[in-house]
Amino acid sequence: MNGRPLPPSRDLRLVHVDARERQSVVSLRGASGPSFGGKELAICAGPCAVESYEQIVATAAAVAGAGANVLRGGAYKPRTSPYSFQGLGRDGLAMMREAADLYGLAVVTEVLDPRDAAIVAESADMLQIGARNMQNTALLRAVGETGKPVLLKRGLAATVDEWLLAAEYIALTGNEQIVLCERGIRSFDPSTRNLLDLSVVPLLARRTHLPAIVDPSHGTGIAALVAPMGLAAVAAGAAGIMVEVHPDPASAVSDGMQSLTFAEFESFMESMPAVAAAVGRSLPKRFAGATLNAPPPS
Ligand code: PEP
Ligand code: MN
């Protein structure tokens, strides 16, 4: 070690900023659906885990009403303890799809096992690779091969180069619909769950043509810090945000501490347009073809 930073990897062939003439835009559900990297932000919101039909429908109604365009939620959960709730699996996928369709939302959900990639791709619009699996190369190939857009979260202690090389694995399958998601990295300081690295947002724009979003929920682990860091992420140039929202955070089976109530999410979204406008962006409009099939609960 001579203390100098490693030179950027020469193996970033497909995802390198110079590999494309302009920054990529990744769209879900066709060109009129939610997009990552365009003028409109992608607002992904929903519970950490799908817990019940009632929970996911109520959350879909609330986040759609507040301005989100993508419903997030885990049906397969990567829990630290094998004794913790592992997710509702296929039932959870079906519940999330139905809830999203009721309110005109796209769906992003995590895939944990290469054997589930095709099943998840049948019902979701975007497949999430969680932080713990960022370097699971078999899983990266499997999600890439589904042809569906992929949300690639940054590993718990991954360098930017390692993260971009993971994206390169997906791109090598012929699927370049990849969005990066900064969700905080391990640090020495337990004051926050992770250390949210917002400097990667403008850094990534210089290294890759892929769009990047920020998850201030896992990035901080503290509900009160989610809105300020979400606004800061947009100010730094993020193409969108991913936020955990729950009808009753205190009773959430996972990540309640960092989950926003419906009212907190709504007031966060109310403060977003001014910050977005300062960097030439706007909140998403409801996408064409999306119909609100049911009124949000009062
Ligand atoms: C999640 O999004 O629910 C999740 C488990 O996130 P991460 O992989 O970033 O920990
Ligand atoms: Mn979570």
Side-chain angles (χ1 to χ4, degrees):
M1 278 293 277
N2 58 12
R4 272 182 289 158
L6 294 170
S9 172
R10 278 172 290 145
D11 284 344
L12 299 177
R13 301 178 195 181
L14 300 172
V15 307
H16 193 272
V17 67
D18 294 337
R20 292 286 171 275
E21 277 182 16
R22 56 184 68 86
Q23 291 294 111
S24 296
V25 177
V26 174
S27 299
L28 312 186
R29 301 181 74 78
S32 64
S35 66
F36 298 75
K39 188 172 174 354
E40 288 187 3
L41 294 168
I43 306 291
C44 313
C48 180
V50 181
E51 298 170 10
S52 69
Y53 183 72
E54 293 69 29
Q55 175 237 23
I56 195 70
V57 169
T59 308
V63 301
N69 54 354
V70 183
L71 181 65
R72 67 141 287 143
Y76 298 94
K77 293 304 302 176
R79 303 307 298 283
T80 300
S81 165
Y83 302 107
S84 300
F85 175 65
Q86 303 287 309
L88 297 179
R90 289 188 193 200
D91 292 344
L93 292 177
M95 289 174 195
M96 197 167 13
R97 181 75 263 167
E98 207 177 313
D101 288 346
L102 280 172
Y103 296 100
L105 299 166
V107 168
V108 59
T109 195
E110 182 164 353
V111 184
L112 287 183
D113 186 321
R115 292 168 295 188
D116 296 328
I119 291 286
V120 179
E122 269 175 35
S123 68
D125 302 303
M126 182 178 226
L127 307 186
Q128 177 173 322
I129 296 292
R132 291 156 193 78
N133 276 312
M134 189 204 81
Q135 288 181 310
N136 181 338
T137 55
L139 187 61
L140 296 173
R141 286 198 192 93
V143 295
E145 281 163 5
T146 67
K148 281 281 168 105
V150 178
L151 183 67
L152 179 63
K153 287 193 145 194
R154 184 181 187 176
L156 304 169
T159 66
V160 168
D161 254 30
E162 288 162 348
W163 190 11
L164 292 176
L165 285 166
E168 189 83 16
Y169 267 95
I170 300 168
L172 261 177
T173 67
N175 178 356
E176 292 196 17
Q177 300 179 84
I178 306 162
V179 177
L180 302 165
C181 180
E182 162 63 29
R183 47 77 73 207
I185 47 178
R186 280 278 163 93
S187 93
F188 59 87
D189 187 350
S191 304
T192 53
R193 179 176 179 180
N194 290 297
L195 187 66
L196 187 61
D197 181 7
L198 288 186
S199 69
V200 288
V201 175
L203 179 67
L204 285 170
R206 293 168 172 269
R207 299 287 313 281
T208 177
H209 57 85
L210 300 175
I213 68 168
V214 170
D215 171 352
S217 304
H218 294 88
T220 65
I222 300 170
L225 306 187
V226 169
M229 295 314 286
L231 295 172
V234 170
I241 51 166
M242 169 172 267
V243 177
E244 288 185 338
V245 178
H246 193 281
D248 179 21
S251 68
V253 296
S254 56
D255 288 350
M257 291 268 291
Q258 65 194 36
S259 297
L260 301 186
T261 63
F262 295 167
E264 286 166 347
F265 181 67
E266 201 181 323
S267 79
F268 173 25
M269 285 300 107
E270 280 165 7
S271 55
M272 186 62 88
V275 175
V279 289
R281 283 206 157 104
S282 54
L283 274 178
K285 292 184 275 296
R286 298 203 70 77
F287 59 91
T291 45
L292 215 54
N293 291 328
S298 52

